[in-house]
């Protein structure tokens, strides 16, 4: 087991190192932040002083080496625009993004799995066909368009919900959260639902497929033969088996919700990491863009590492095959 974990840690370290090269060089060859930061009427002396202050006078491989050394001590650079550590700026906005992602995941699971189970149990009913048609729309409709339509309907025409912002927040264990206030909850509902639509459709399809496969298994037939009530068969025997793959997939999708909430945060002006990265790209604030992408890489590497280890615990054949390879 320890050999398997050490091997996975080494592979994860190599992935992070390779991605740091791709991210740093990819971001630093696009545009020139000096043009965005300096007044066009500034003299040559001021321009050169600013370039030296930002460290842009060094060769790019030397800039990468300083970035790599500093990153090992937790320093991912300083924002060109705000003059503060990029990691600090991202961590300040992370609670808003995590709250939005958790709310979206909760909506996806609470709504998507029951609808998927119903669609699997009653595949020929009109309600089941409507659910599956709705899931196709959830996959197909662009997130930004759905967000704009939601704002138009619920904020502009009906006036039920606020269109942008995060609303009032209160501290919970030192972290500001908005779901504990009515104003914050009203601001959270539309962006969370917008972000959840795709994952909800995924949960519906996974749950339906799991039910259609499990319902013909011998243990379900045996439970029916024993005379168990349908509700108990579904709750105890069916859900327990189909939720394992659904939970695994939705857990991995949680990383996507955090990393790729850019569109939803931009449409609803949600003050999270996504809006920060969009603003940073517009201003060519390279340190913030690099720091955000590296945190995203670390997040996915960590999630995959945990999933691999959990798989090896649940199924020892996985680690045995890995060691033989």
């Amino acid at each position: 087991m320890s050999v398997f974990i050490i091997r996975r840690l080494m592979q994860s370290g190599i992935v992070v190192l390779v991605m740091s090269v791709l991210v740093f060089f990819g971001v630093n060859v696009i545009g020139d932040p000096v043009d965005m930061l300096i007044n066009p009427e500034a003299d040559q002396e001021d321009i050169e002083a600013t370039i030296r202050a930002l460290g842009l006078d060094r060769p790019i491989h030397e800039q990468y080496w300083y970035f790599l050394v500093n990153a090992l001590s937790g320093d991912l650079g300083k924002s060109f625009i705000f003059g503060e550590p990029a990691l600090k700026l991202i961590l300040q906005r992370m609670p808003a993004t995590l709250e939005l992602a958790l709310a979206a995941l909760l909506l996806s699971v609470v709504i998507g799995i029951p609808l998927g189970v119903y669609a699997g149990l009653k595949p020929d009913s009109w309600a089941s066909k409507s659910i599956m048609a709705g899931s196709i729309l959830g996959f197909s409709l662009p997130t930004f368009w759905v967000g704009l339509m939601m704002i138009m309907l619920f904020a502009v025409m009906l006036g039920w919900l606020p269109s942008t912002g995060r609303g009032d927040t209160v501290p919970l264990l030192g972290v500001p959260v908005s779901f504990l206030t009515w104003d914050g909850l009203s601001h959270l509902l539309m962006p969370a639902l917008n972000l959840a639509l795709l994952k909800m459709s995924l949960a519906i399809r996974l749950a339906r497929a799991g039910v259609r496969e499990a319902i013909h298994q011998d243990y379900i037939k045996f439970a029916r033969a024993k005379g168990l009530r349908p509700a108990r068969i579904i709750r105890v025997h069916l859900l327990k088996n189909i939720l394992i793959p659904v939970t695994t997939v939705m857990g991995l999708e949680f990383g996507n919700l955090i990393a790729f909430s850019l569109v939803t945060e931009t449409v609803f002006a949600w003050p999270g990491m996504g809006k920060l990265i969009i603003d940073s790209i517009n201003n060519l604030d390279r340190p913030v863009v690099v720091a955000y992408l590296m945190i995203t890489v670390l997040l996915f590497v960590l999630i995959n590492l945990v999933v691999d280890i959990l798989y090896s615990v649940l199924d020892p054949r996985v680690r045995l095959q890995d060691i033989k390879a």
Side-chain angles (χ1 to χ4, degrees), residues 5 19 22 24 40 46-47 69 97 158 162 167 173 193 196 220 224 246 253 263 268 271 297 311 322:
I5 294 176
M19 288 305 298
L22 296 175
F24 189 87
D46 289 339
I47 294 175
V69 172
T97 297
L158 299 175
L173 302 176
L193 186 59
I220 297 292
R224 284 175 175 162
V246 174
E253 290 295 324
V263 175
F268 291 94
V297 170
Y311 275 158
D322 183 84

Side-chain angles (χ1 to χ4, degrees), residues 19 29 39 45 74 93 102 116-117 131 135 165 167 201 221 229 270 273 297-298 311-312:
M19 288 305 298
V29 298
N39 189 328
E45 187 176 344
R93 288 161 175 78
L102 284 171
V117 170
I131 291 170
S135 71
S201 302
K221 296 176 181 175
R229 288 179 292 120
W270 186 262
M273 296 190 299
V297 170
L298 287 172
Y311 275 158
S312 72

Side-chain angles (χ1 to χ4, degrees), residues 132-210:
M132 297 313 295
S135 71
I136 294 174
L137 286 178
F139 279 118
S140 307
L141 294 177
T143 302
F144 74 92
W145 183 83
V146 175
L148 292 174
M149 291 300 104
M150 290 172 74
I151 290 175
M152 182 67 71
L153 178 62
F154 295 109
V156 178
M157 296 176 67
L158 299 175
W160 290 351
L161 296 170
S163 59
T164 57
R166 195 183 179 193
D168 295 337
T169 61
V170 293
L172 177 65
L173 302 176
V175 178
V177 297
S178 62
F179 69 90
L180 293 179
T181 67
W182 176 250
D183 182 61
L185 200 59
S186 63
H187 281 80
L188 177 64
L189 185 58
M190 271 204 298
L193 186 59
N194 180 241
L195 188 60
L197 282 179
L198 182 62
K199 308 306 173 192
M200 199 183 298
S201 302
L202 181 62
I204 289 173
R205 294 201 160 261
L206 286 173
R208 182 186 182 278

Side-chain angles (χ1 to χ4, degrees), residues 35-284:
D35 296 336
M36 306 287 292
L37 299 171
I38 299 180
N39 189 328
E41 297 179 358
D43 55 33
Q44 188 62 30
E45 187 176 344
D46 289 339
I47 294 175
E48 291 177 355
T50 303
I51 291 174
R52 283 195 300 273
L54 297 177
L56 299 176
D57 57 325
R58 301 174 184 145
I60 191 167
H61 65 275
E62 193 174 327
Q63 293 180 42
Y64 172 72
W65 175 250
Y66 280 111
F67 165 77
L68 191 62
V69 172
N70 292 330
L72 293 176
S73 60
D75 180 6
L76 295 179
K78 187 178 286 187
S79 166
F80 292 163
I81 305 298
F82 299 100
E84 296 184 16
L87 185 59
K88 178 184 174 184
L89 291 171
I90 292 172
L91 292 180
Q92 285 175 342
R93 288 161 175 78
M94 187 174 283
T97 297
L98 286 177
E99 183 179 34
L100 180 62
L102 284 171
L105 184 66
L106 183 65
L107 286 174
S108 305
V109 171
V110 171
I111 298 176
I113 292 179
L115 290 179
V117 170
Y118 179 84
L121 293 172
K122 308 282 186 184
D124 297 324
S125 68
W126 66 267
S128 175
K129 293 175 181 175
S130 300
I131 291 170
M132 297 313 295
S135 71
I136 294 174
L137 286 178
F139 279 118
S140 307
L141 294 177
T143 302
F144 74 92
W145 183 83
V146 175
L148 292 174
M149 291 300 104
M150 290 172 74
I151 290 175
M152 182 67 71
L153 178 62
F154 295 109
V156 178
M157 296 176 67
L158 299 175
W160 290 351
L161 296 170
S163 59
T164 57
R166 195 183 179 193
D168 295 337
T169 61
V170 293
L172 177 65
L173 302 176
V175 178
V177 297
S178 62
F179 69 90
L180 293 179
T181 67
W182 176 250
D183 182 61
L185 200 59
S186 63
H187 281 80
L188 177 64
L189 185 58
M190 271 204 298
L193 186 59
N194 180 241
L195 188 60
L197 282 179
L198 182 62
K199 308 306 173 192
M200 199 183 298
S201 302
L202 181 62
I204 289 173
R205 294 201 160 261
L206 286 173
R208 182 186 182 278
V211 170
R212 296 307 302 160
E213 182 180 353
I215 204 166
H216 300 294
Q217 298 296 319
D218 291 340
Y219 64 89
I220 297 292
K221 296 176 181 175
F222 183 67
R224 284 175 175 162
K226 286 199 305 182
L228 295 179
R229 288 179 292 120
R232 180 174 175 76
I233 294 175
I234 294 171
R235 190 174 62 253
V236 177
H237 298 281
L238 188 64
L239 278 180
K240 188 183 291 183
N241 287 281
I242 70 166
L243 284 183
I244 294 174
V246 174
T247 303
T248 303
V249 173
M250 295 307 290
L252 290 173
E253 290 295 324
F254 181 60
N256 283 330
L257 285 173
I258 295 174
F260 303 116
S261 60
L262 309 180
V263 175
T264 297
E265 290 189 3
T266 302
V267 170
F268 291 94
W270 186 262
M273 296 190 299
K275 188 173 185 305
L276 173 67
I277 190 66
I278 292 294
D279 293 340
S280 300
I281 291 171
N282 289 333
N283 294 318
L284 283 179

Side-chain angles (χ1 to χ4, degrees), residues 1 4-6 8-9 302-315 318-319:
M1 184 68 181
F4 176 81
I5 294 176
I6 291 172
R8 279 288 183 267
L9 285 172
L302 181 62
I303 291 174
N304 281 286
L305 178 65
V306 171
V307 170
D308 284 346
I309 292 174
L310 287 177
Y311 275 158
S312 72
V313 172
L314 295 172
D315 188 354
V318 173
R319 62 172 181 267

